[in-house]
Amino acid sequence: MAPMNDPALARYARQIIYGGIGEAGQRALLNAQVTIIGAGATGSVLANHLARAGVGRLRLVDRDFVELNNLQRQLLYDEEDVTGMWPKAVAAARKLRRINSAIEIEDVVADVTPANISGFVADADVVLDGTDNFTTRYLINDVCVKLGKPWVYCGVIATYGMTMTIRPGVTPCLRCVVGELPAPGSVPTCDTAGIIGPIVTLMGSIAATEAIKLLVGQGTLNPGMIHVDLWDDSFDRFELGGRRPDCPTCGQHAYPFLNAEVGTRATTLCGREAVQVSVVGSQGLSLADLATRLQAAGAKTVRTNPFLLRAQIAGHEFTVFPDGRAIIKGTSDEAVAATLYARYVGM
Amino acid sequence: MRLRVKLFAYLTRYRDNLSSGTPCEVDLPEGATLADLLRALQVPDEEVKMAFVNGLAQPEDWQLKDGDEVGIFPPIAGG
């Protein structure tokens, strides 16, 4: 059947006409599996492009929920997602299914950890970075190098961004280029430096195109680090040189982030006065039972939906997920958050 | 020797807040390394950065030569 008459391909007619993709490329996209880790600003752009382009199976993994100050740049969300307290992965998947019902979209509300990341990427042809922190990126880098998965780094802040395409065994990995994990507080966040929407869309679009080229097996991949500053009209590209033999990830295959021992973790979140507390190995909890306990403990305005519980306790806003994870607002002190968690959630 | 140096993003604060990627010239003694250049620019050790010499990523002990073009970036965490 001619591609334009094949109902499965008709919706992609305009990109099939483009010779770099063609019918064979479109079929490759439809047969592909992509995992996007993080569904915030860049994750929205990545997921939007790949769902519309017809990537057959998309997995979106995100730990966060939609807030009003996300809407300025996170293209998949709207005010109803804010009032409904929707997790980003769920809200994104719902929007994407309305855009393209012909593909499979899996939403995962979870913090990506050394314990669960392999399960999210093992069946992926390409892994994409929609995260906002280097700890998670170094974990992605470890697992992708170990499993031989190509992945695309994409970072944005203020008016600038960078992106790099990592092909294990072929190119240097992220750790070869960036070196040791930047210490907490050593690099600016959306909270301290702000961010404008267009740089997100631009860098996310470059990264999404890298994914399409990888999946189709055509086109010229970004061989280096692309750096753009839209405010200063600065567009630069740098080559990466060779892989470093002493790189703990791709040189020595030690994968220190993937092999990290972790238990209860408290992490300050980019962009607001909030700390996430998570427990690796948790059996999860009942939100209904927790709501009853918190009301007995004097919590105000306890609200739940199938995905989370929200309560005001001791001057802090708690958002608790069924996997036992909590985001505690009103502090950026990880120790304070861990104490509040132990006191009120109690795991 | 004379180097042509570009600082990017918020590292421009170490060069009179020139706009990102604007080249400036820096004179250093022969045999100087990237680490020497960073010291001359007064970029503190704890400032995380990546350096590219003539378009290629290099470690801080890399020895520079006259006419080299150096770009220095912070890694970008947000998303």
Side-chain angles (χ1 to χ4, degrees), chain A residues 70-151:
Chain A
N70 299 154
L71 304 187
Q72 163 255 357
R73 65 195 180 285
Q74 302 191 14
L75 298 182
L76 289 176
Y77 309 122
D78 57 39
E79 293 177 5
E80 286 182 18
D81 298 323
V82 178
T83 51
M85 308 185 302
W86 291 102
K88 288 181 182 176
V90 174
R94 192 174 47 178
K95 174 63 70 69
L96 294 168
R97 288 182 192 118
R98 288 204 291 264
I99 291 167
N100 191 347
S101 60
I103 61 170
E104 290 174 35
I105 299 165
E106 180 188 354
D107 49 81
V108 182
V109 183
D111 187 29
V112 172
T113 68
N116 64 16
I117 191 167
S118 298
F120 297 143
V121 308
D123 57 356
D125 298 297
V126 171
V127 178
L128 294 176
D129 165 22
T131 71
D132 61 2
N133 66 88
F134 273 103
T135 305
T136 310
R137 288 191 181 101
Y138 274 30
L139 184 56
I140 297 171
N141 191 56
D142 271 7
V143 77
C144 285
V145 170
K146 183 176 182 185
L147 300 180
K149 307 287 182 184
W151 76 281

Coordinates of all heavy atoms in Angstrom, one line a residue, chain A residues 70-151:
Chain A
N70 N 5.1 26.4 36.7 CA 5.6 25.6 35.6 C 5.1 26.0 34.2 O 5.7 25.8 33.2 CB 5.2 24.1 35.8 CG 5.7 23.4 37.0 OD1 5.1 22.5 37.5 ND2 6.8 23.9 37.6
L71 N 3.9 26.6 34.3 CA 3.1 26.8 33.0 C 3.8 27.8 32.1 O 3.6 27.8 30.9 CB 1.7 27.3 33.3 CG 0.9 26.4 34.2 CD1 -0.6 26.9 34.3 CD2 0.9 24.9 33.7
Q72 N 4.7 28.7 32.6 CA 5.4 29.6 31.8 C 6.3 29.0 30.8 O 6.6 29.6 29.7 CB 6.2 30.5 32.8 CG 7.4 31.3 32.2 CD 8.7 30.7 32.5 OE1 8.9 29.7 33.2 NE2 9.8 31.4 32.0
R73 N 6.7 27.7 31.0 CA 7.7 27.1 30.0 C 7.4 25.6 29.8 O 8.0 25.0 28.9 CB 9.1 27.2 30.6 CG 9.3 26.5 31.9 CD 10.6 26.9 32.6 NE 10.8 26.2 33.8 CZ 10.1 26.4 34.9 NH1 9.1 27.3 35.0 NH2 10.3 25.6 36.0
Q74 N 6.5 24.9 30.6 CA 6.3 23.5 30.5 C 5.1 23.2 29.6 O 4.0 23.3 30.1 CB 6.3 22.9 31.9 CG 7.6 23.2 32.6 CD 7.7 22.4 33.9 OE1 7.1 21.4 34.2 NE2 8.7 22.9 34.7
L75 N 5.3 23.0 28.3 CA 4.3 23.2 27.3 C 3.2 22.2 27.4 O 2.1 22.5 26.8 CB 5.0 23.1 25.9 CG 6.0 24.1 25.5 CD1 6.5 23.8 24.1 CD2 5.5 25.5 25.7
L76 N 3.3 21.1 28.0 CA 2.2 20.1 28.0 C 1.2 20.4 29.0 O 0.1 19.7 29.0 CB 2.8 18.7 28.2 CG 3.6 18.1 27.1 CD1 4.2 16.8 27.4 CD2 2.8 18.0 25.8
Y77 N 1.4 21.3 29.9 CA 0.5 21.4 31.1 C -0.4 22.7 31.0 O -0.1 23.7 30.3 CB 1.3 21.4 32.4 CG 2.2 20.3 32.4 CD1 3.6 20.4 32.5 CD2 1.7 19.0 32.2 CE1 4.5 19.3 32.5 CE2 2.6 17.9 32.2 CZ 3.9 18.1 32.4 OH 4.8 17.0 32.3
D78 N -1.5 22.6 31.8 CA -2.4 23.8 31.8 C -2.9 24.0 33.2 O -2.6 23.2 34.2 CB -3.5 23.6 30.8 CG -4.3 22.4 31.0 OD1 -4.6 22.0 32.2 OD2 -4.7 21.7 30.0
E79 N -3.8 25.0 33.4 CA -4.3 25.3 34.8 C -5.1 24.2 35.4 O -5.0 24.1 36.6 CB -5.1 26.6 34.7 CG -4.2 27.8 34.3 CD -4.9 29.1 34.2 OE1 -6.2 29.2 34.5 OE2 -4.3 30.1 33.8
E80 N -5.8 23.4 34.6 CA -6.5 22.3 35.2 C -5.6 21.3 35.8 O -6.0 20.6 36.8 CB -7.4 21.6 34.1 CG -8.6 22.5 33.7 CD -9.5 21.8 32.7 OE1 -9.4 20.6 32.5 OE2 -10.3 22.5 32.0
D81 N -4.4 21.1 35.2 CA -3.5 20.2 35.8 C -3.0 20.7 37.2 O -2.7 19.9 38.1 CB -2.3 20.0 34.9 CG -2.6 19.4 33.5 OD1 -3.5 18.5 33.5 OD2 -2.1 19.8 32.5
V82 N -2.9 22.0 37.3 CA -2.4 22.6 38.6 C -3.5 22.4 39.7 O -3.3 21.8 40.7 CB -2.1 24.1 38.4 CG1 -1.8 24.7 39.8 CG2 -1.1 24.3 37.4
T83 N -4.8 22.7 39.3 CA -5.8 22.6 40.3 C -6.1 21.1 40.7 O -6.5 20.8 41.8 CB -7.1 23.3 39.9 OG1 -7.5 22.9 38.6 CG2 -6.9 24.8 39.8
G84 N -5.9 20.3 39.7 CA -6.1 18.8 39.9 C -5.0 18.1 40.6 O -5.1 16.9 40.9
M85 N -3.9 18.9 40.9 CA -2.7 18.3 41.5 C -2.2 17.1 40.8 O -1.8 16.1 41.4 CB -3.0 17.9 43.0 CG -3.6 19.0 43.8 SD -3.8 18.4 45.6 CE -4.8 16.9 45.5
W86 N -2.1 17.2 39.5 CA -1.8 16.0 38.7 C -0.2 15.8 38.7 O 0.5 16.8 38.5 CB -2.2 16.1 37.2 CG -3.7 16.0 37.2 CD1 -4.6 17.1 37.0 CD2 -4.5 14.8 37.3 NE1 -5.9 16.6 37.0 CE2 -5.9 15.2 37.2 CE3 -4.2 13.5 37.4 CZ2 -6.9 14.3 37.3 CZ3 -5.2 12.6 37.5 CH2 -6.6 13.0 37.4
P87 N 0.2 14.6 38.9 CA 1.6 14.3 38.6 C 1.9 14.6 37.2 O 1.1 14.4 36.3 CB 1.7 12.8 38.9 CG 0.5 12.4 39.7 CD -0.6 13.4 39.3
K88 N 3.2 15.1 36.9 CA 3.5 15.5 35.6 C 3.4 14.3 34.6 O 3.0 14.5 33.4 CB 4.9 16.1 35.5 CG 4.9 17.5 36.2 CD 6.3 18.1 36.1 CE 6.3 19.5 36.8 NZ 7.6 20.1 36.9
A89 N 3.9 13.2 35.0 CA 3.9 12.0 34.0 C 2.5 11.7 33.6 O 2.2 11.4 32.4 CB 4.6 10.8 34.7
V90 N 1.5 11.8 34.5 CA 0.1 11.4 34.3 C -0.5 12.5 33.4 O -1.1 12.2 32.4 CB -0.7 11.3 35.6 CG1 -2.1 11.1 35.3 CG2 -0.1 10.1 36.4
A91 N -0.3 13.8 33.7 CA -0.8 14.9 33.0 C -0.2 14.9 31.5 O -0.9 15.2 30.6 CB -0.6 16.2 33.7
A92 N 1.1 14.7 31.4 CA 1.7 14.7 30.1 C 1.2 13.5 29.3 O 0.8 13.7 28.1 CB 3.2 14.5 30.3
A93 N 1.1 12.3 29.8 CA 0.6 11.2 29.1 C -0.9 11.4 28.6 O -1.2 11.1 27.4 CB 0.7 9.9 29.9
R94 N -1.7 12.0 29.5 CA -3.1 12.3 29.1 C -3.1 13.3 27.9 O -3.9 13.1 26.9 CB -3.8 12.9 30.3 CG -5.3 12.9 30.2 CD -5.9 13.4 31.5 NE -5.2 14.6 32.0 CZ -5.6 15.2 33.1 NH1 -6.6 14.8 33.8 NH2 -4.9 16.3 33.5
K95 N -2.3 14.3 28.0 CA -2.3 15.3 26.8 C -1.8 14.6 25.6 O -2.3 14.8 24.5 CB -1.4 16.5 27.2 CG -1.2 17.5 26.1 CD -2.4 18.2 25.6 CE -3.0 19.1 26.6 NZ -2.2 20.3 26.9
L96 N -0.7 13.8 25.7 CA -0.1 13.2 24.5 C -1.0 12.2 23.9 O -1.0 12.0 22.7 CB 1.2 12.6 24.9 CG 2.3 13.5 25.3 CD1 3.5 12.8 26.0 CD2 2.8 14.4 24.2
R97 N -1.8 11.5 24.7 CA -2.8 10.5 24.1 C -3.8 11.2 23.3 O -4.4 10.7 22.3 CB -3.4 9.7 25.2 CG -2.4 8.7 25.8 CD -3.1 7.8 26.9 NE -2.1 7.1 27.6 CZ -1.8 7.2 28.9 NH1 -2.6 8.0 29.7 NH2 -0.8 6.6 29.5
R98 N -4.2 12.5 23.7 CA -5.1 13.2 22.9 C -4.5 13.7 21.6 O -5.2 13.9 20.6 CB -5.6 14.4 23.6 CG -6.6 14.1 24.8 CD -7.5 15.3 25.2 NE -6.8 16.3 25.8 CZ -6.7 16.5 27.1 NH1 -7.2 15.7 27.9 NH2 -6.0 17.5 27.6
I99 N -3.2 13.8 21.6 CA -2.4 14.3 20.4 C -2.3 13.1 19.4 O -2.4 13.2 18.2 CB -1.1 14.9 20.8 CG1 -1.3 16.2 21.5 CG2 -0.2 15.1 19.5 CD1 -0.1 16.7 22.2
N100 N -1.9 11.9 20.0 CA -1.6 10.8 19.1 C -2.1 9.5 19.9 O -1.4 9.0 20.7 CB -0.1 10.7 18.8 CG 0.1 9.6 17.7 OD1 -0.8 8.8 17.4 ND2 1.3 9.6 17.1
S101 N -3.3 9.0 19.5 CA -3.8 7.8 20.2 C -3.3 6.5 19.5 O -3.6 5.5 20.0 CB -5.4 7.9 20.1 OG -5.8 7.8 18.7
A102 N -2.5 6.7 18.5 CA -2.0 5.5 17.7 C -0.7 4.9 18.3 O -0.2 3.9 17.8 CB -1.8 5.8 16.3
I103 N -0.2 5.6 19.3 CA 1.1 5.1 19.9 C 0.8 4.7 21.4 O -0.2 5.1 22.0 CB 2.2 6.1 19.8 CG1 1.8 7.4 20.6 CG2 2.5 6.4 18.4 CD1 3.0 8.4 20.8
E104 N 1.7 4.0 22.0 CA 1.6 3.6 23.4 C 2.4 4.6 24.2 O 3.6 4.8 24.0 CB 2.2 2.2 23.6 CG 1.4 1.0 23.0 CD 2.2 -0.3 23.2 OE1 2.8 -0.5 24.2 OE2 2.1 -1.1 22.2
I105 N 1.7 5.1 25.2 CA 2.4 6.0 26.1 C 2.3 5.5 27.6 O 1.2 5.3 28.0 CB 1.8 7.4 26.0 CG1 2.0 8.0 24.6 CG2 2.5 8.4 27.0 CD1 1.1 9.2 24.3
E106 N 3.4 5.3 28.2 CA 3.4 4.7 29.6 C 3.8 5.9 30.5 O 4.9 6.5 30.3 CB 4.4 3.6 29.6 CG 4.5 2.9 31.0 CD 5.6 1.9 31.1 OE1 6.3 1.6 30.0 OE2 5.9 1.5 32.2
D107 N 3.0 6.1 31.5 CA 3.4 7.2 32.5 C 3.9 6.5 33.8 O 3.2 5.5 34.3 CB 2.3 8.1 32.8 CG 1.0 7.5 33.1 OD1 0.8 7.0 34.2 OD2 0.2 7.4 32.2
V108 N 5.0 6.9 34.3 CA 5.5 6.3 35.5 C 5.8 7.5 36.5 O 6.6 8.4 36.2 CB 6.9 5.6 35.3 CG1 7.4 5.0 36.5 CG2 6.7 4.6 34.2
V109 N 5.1 7.5 37.6 CA 5.3 8.5 38.7 C 6.3 7.9 39.7 O 5.9 7.1 40.5 CB 4.0 8.9 39.4 CG1 4.2 10.0 40.4 CG2 2.9 9.3 38.4
A110 N 7.5 8.3 39.5 CA 8.6 7.7 40.4 C 9.8 8.6 40.4 O 10.1 9.3 39.4 CB 8.9 6.3 39.9
D111 N 10.6 8.5 41.5 CA 11.9 9.1 41.5 C 12.8 8.1 40.9 O 12.8 6.9 41.2 CB 12.2 9.3 43.0 CG 13.5 10.0 43.2 OD1 13.9 10.8 42.3 OD2 14.2 9.8 44.2
V112 N 13.7 8.5 40.0 CA 14.6 7.6 39.3 C 15.8 7.4 40.2 O 16.4 8.3 40.7 CB 15.0 8.1 37.9 CG1 16.1 7.3 37.3 CG2 13.8 8.2 37.0
T113 N 16.0 6.1 40.6 CA 17.1 5.8 41.5 C 18.0 4.6 41.0 O 17.6 4.0 40.0 CB 16.5 5.2 42.8 OG1 15.8 4.0 42.6 CG2 15.5 6.2 43.4
P114 N 19.1 4.4 41.6 CA 19.9 3.2 41.2 C 19.1 1.9 41.2 O 19.4 1.0 40.4 CB 21.1 3.2 42.2 CG 21.1 4.6 42.7 CD 19.7 5.1 42.7
A115 N 18.1 1.8 42.1 CA 17.4 0.6 42.2 C 16.4 0.4 41.1 O 16.1 -0.8 40.8 CB 16.6 0.6 43.5
N116 N 15.9 1.4 40.4 CA 14.8 1.2 39.5 C 15.2 1.6 38.0 O 14.5 1.3 37.1 CB 13.5 1.9 39.9 CG 13.7 3.4 40.0 OD1 14.6 4.0 39.4 ND2 12.7 4.1 40.7
I117 N 16.3 2.3 37.8 CA 16.6 2.9 36.5 C 16.7 1.9 35.4 O 16.3 2.1 34.3 CB 17.7 3.9 36.6 CG1 17.8 4.7 35.2 CG2 19.1 3.2 36.8 CD1 18.7 5.9 35.3
S118 N 17.3 0.7 35.8 CA 17.6 -0.3 34.7 C 16.3 -0.7 34.1 O 16.2 -0.9 32.9 CB 18.4 -1.5 35.3 OG 19.6 -1.0 35.7
G119 N 15.3 -0.9 34.9 CA 14.0 -1.3 34.4 C 13.3 -0.3 33.5 O 12.5 -0.6 32.6
F120 N 13.7 1.0 33.7 CA 13.1 2.0 32.8 C 13.8 2.1 31.5 O 13.2 2.7 30.5 CB 13.1 3.4 33.5 CG 12.3 3.5 34.8 CD1 12.8 4.2 35.8 CD2 11.1 2.9 34.9 CE1 12.1 4.3 37.0 CE2 10.4 2.9 36.1 CZ 10.9 3.7 37.1
V121 N 15.0 1.7 31.4 CA 15.8 2.0 30.1 C 16.2 0.7 29.4 O 16.6 0.7 28.3 CB 17.1 2.8 30.4 CG1 16.7 4.1 31.1 CG2 18.1 2.1 31.1
A122 N 16.0 -0.5 30.0 CA 16.5 -1.7 29.4 C 15.9 -2.0 28.1 O 16.6 -2.6 27.2 CB 16.3 -2.9 30.4
D123 N 14.7 -1.7 27.8 CA 14.0 -2.0 26.5 C 14.0 -0.8 25.6 O 13.4 -0.8 24.6 CB 12.6 -2.5 26.8 CG 11.7 -1.5 27.5 OD1 12.3 -0.5 28.0 OD2 10.6 -1.8 27.7
A124 N 14.7 0.3 26.0 CA 14.7 1.6 25.2 C 15.7 1.5 24.0 O 16.8 1.0 24.2 CB 14.9 2.8 26.0
D125 N 15.3 2.1 22.9 CA 16.3 2.2 21.8 C 17.1 3.5 22.0 O 18.3 3.6 21.7 CB 15.6 2.3 20.5 CG 14.8 1.0 20.2 OD1 15.5 0.0 20.0 OD2 13.6 1.1 20.1
V126 N 16.5 4.5 22.6 CA 17.1 5.8 22.9 C 16.6 6.3 24.3 O 15.4 6.1 24.6 CB 16.8 6.9 21.8 CG1 17.3 8.2 22.2 CG2 17.5 6.5 20.5
V127 N 17.4 6.9 25.1 CA 17.0 7.5 26.4 C 17.3 9.0 26.3 O 18.3 9.5 25.8 CB 17.9 6.9 27.5 CG1 17.5 7.5 28.9 CG2 17.7 5.4 27.6
L128 N 16.3 9.8 26.7 CA 16.4 11.2 26.7 C 16.3 11.9 28.1 O 15.6 11.4 28.9 CB 15.2 11.8 25.8 CG 15.3 11.4 24.3 CD1 14.1 11.9 23.6 CD2 16.6 11.9 23.7
D129 N 17.1 12.9 28.2 CA 17.3 13.6 29.4 C 16.3 14.8 29.6 O 16.5 15.8 28.9 CB 18.7 14.1 29.5 CG 19.0 15.1 30.6 OD1 18.2 15.2 31.5 OD2 20.0 15.9 30.4
G130 N 15.3 14.6 30.4 CA 14.4 15.8 30.7 C 14.6 16.2 32.2 O 13.7 16.8 32.7
T131 N 15.7 15.8 32.8 CA 15.9 16.1 34.2 C 16.4 17.5 34.4 O 16.7 18.3 33.5 CB 17.0 15.1 34.8 OG1 18.3 15.5 34.3 CG2 16.7 13.7 34.4
D132 N 16.5 17.8 35.7 CA 17.0 19.2 36.1 C 18.2 19.1 37.0 O 18.5 20.1 37.8 CB 15.9 20.0 36.7 CG 15.3 19.4 38.0 OD1 15.9 18.3 38.4 OD2 14.4 19.9 38.5
N133 N 18.9 18.0 37.1 CA 20.0 17.9 38.0 C 21.0 16.9 37.5 O 20.7 15.9 36.8 CB 19.5 17.4 39.4 CG 18.9 16.0 39.4 OD1 19.6 15.1 39.6 ND2 17.6 15.9 39.1
F134 N 22.3 17.1 38.0 CA 23.4 16.2 37.5 C 23.4 14.9 38.2 O 24.0 13.9 37.7 CB 24.7 16.9 37.6 CG 25.0 17.8 36.4 CD1 24.9 19.1 36.5 CD2 25.4 17.2 35.2 CE1 25.1 19.9 35.3 CE2 25.7 17.9 34.1 CZ 25.5 19.3 34.2
T135 N 22.9 14.7 39.4 CA 22.9 13.4 40.1 C 22.1 12.4 39.2 O 22.6 11.3 39.0 CB 22.2 13.6 41.5 OG1 22.9 14.6 42.2 CG2 22.3 12.3 42.2
T136 N 20.9 12.8 38.8 CA 20.1 11.9 37.9 C 20.8 11.7 36.6 O 20.8 10.6 36.0 CB 18.7 12.4 37.7 OG1 18.2 12.7 39.0 CG2 17.8 11.4 37.1
R137 N 21.4 12.7 36.0 CA 22.1 12.6 34.7 C 23.3 11.6 34.8 O 23.5 10.8 33.9 CB 22.6 13.9 34.2 CG 21.5 14.8 33.7 CD 22.0 16.0 33.0 NE 20.9 16.9 32.5 CZ 20.5 18.0 33.1 NH1 21.2 18.4 34.2 NH2 19.5 18.7 32.7
Y138 N 24.0 11.7 35.9 CA 25.1 10.8 36.0 C 24.7 9.3 36.2 O 25.3 8.4 35.8 CB 26.0 11.2 37.2 CG 27.1 12.2 36.8 CD1 26.8 13.1 35.8 CD2 28.3 12.3 37.4 CE1 27.7 14.1 35.4 CE2 29.3 13.2 37.0 CZ 28.9 14.1 36.0 OH 29.9 15.0 35.5
L139 N 23.5 9.2 36.8 CA 22.9 7.8 36.9 C 22.4 7.4 35.5 O 22.7 6.2 35.1 CB 21.7 7.9 37.9 CG 20.9 6.7 38.2 CD1 21.9 5.6 38.8 CD2 19.8 7.0 39.2
I140 N 21.8 8.2 34.7 CA 21.4 7.9 33.4 C 22.7 7.5 32.6 O 22.7 6.5 31.8 CB 20.7 9.1 32.7 CG1 19.4 9.4 33.4 CG2 20.5 8.8 31.2 CD1 18.7 10.7 32.9
N141 N 23.8 8.3 32.7 CA 25.0 8.1 32.0 C 25.6 6.7 32.4 O 26.0 5.9 31.5 CB 26.0 9.2 32.4 CG 27.2 9.2 31.5 OD1 27.2 9.3 30.3 ND2 28.4 9.1 32.1
D142 N 25.6 6.4 33.6 CA 26.1 5.1 34.1 C 25.3 3.9 33.4 O 25.8 3.0 32.8 CB 26.0 4.9 35.6 CG 27.3 5.4 36.3 OD1 28.1 6.0 35.6 OD2 27.4 5.2 37.5
V143 N 24.0 4.0 33.5 CA 23.1 2.9 33.1 C 23.2 2.8 31.6 O 23.2 1.7 31.0 CB 21.7 2.9 33.7 CG1 20.9 4.0 32.9 CG2 21.0 1.6 33.6
C144 N 23.2 3.9 30.9 CA 23.2 3.9 29.4 C 24.5 3.4 28.9 O 24.6 2.6 27.9 CB 22.9 5.2 28.8 SG 21.1 5.7 29.0
V145 N 25.6 3.7 29.5 CA 26.9 3.2 29.1 C 27.0 1.7 29.3 O 27.4 0.9 28.5 CB 28.1 4.0 29.8 CG1 29.4 3.2 29.5 CG2 28.2 5.4 29.3
K146 N 26.5 1.3 30.5 CA 26.5 -0.1 30.9 C 25.7 -0.9 29.9 O 26.1 -2.0 29.5 CB 26.0 -0.3 32.3 CG 26.1 -1.7 32.8 CD 25.7 -1.9 34.2 CE 25.9 -3.4 34.6 NZ 25.3 -3.6 36.0
L147 N 24.5 -0.5 29.6 CA 23.6 -1.2 28.7 C 23.8 -0.9 27.2 O 23.1 -1.5 26.4 CB 22.2 -1.0 29.1 CG 21.8 -1.4 30.6 CD1 20.3 -1.1 30.9 CD2 22.1 -2.8 30.9
G148 N 24.7 0.0 26.9 CA 24.9 0.3 25.5 C 23.8 1.1 24.8 O 23.6 1.0 23.6
K149 N 23.1 2.0 25.6 CA 22.0 2.7 25.1 C 22.5 4.2 24.7 O 23.0 4.9 25.6 CB 20.9 2.9 26.1 CG 20.4 1.6 26.7 CD 19.6 0.8 25.7 CE 19.1 -0.5 26.3 NZ 18.4 -1.3 25.3
P150 N 22.2 4.6 23.5 CA 22.5 6.0 23.2 C 21.5 6.9 24.0 O 20.4 6.6 24.2 CB 22.2 6.2 21.7 CG 21.4 5.0 21.3 CD 21.6 3.9 22.3
W151 N 22.1 8.1 24.5 CA 21.2 9.0 25.2 C 21.7 10.4 24.9 O 22.8 10.7 24.4 CB 21.2 8.7 26.7 CG 22.4 9.1 27.5 CD1 23.6 8.5 27.6 CD2 22.5 10.3 28.4 NE1 24.4 9.1 28.5 CE2 23.8 10.2 28.9 CE3 21.6 11.3 28.7 CZ2 24.2 11.2 29.8 CZ3 22.0 12.3 29.6 CH2 23.3 12.2 30.2

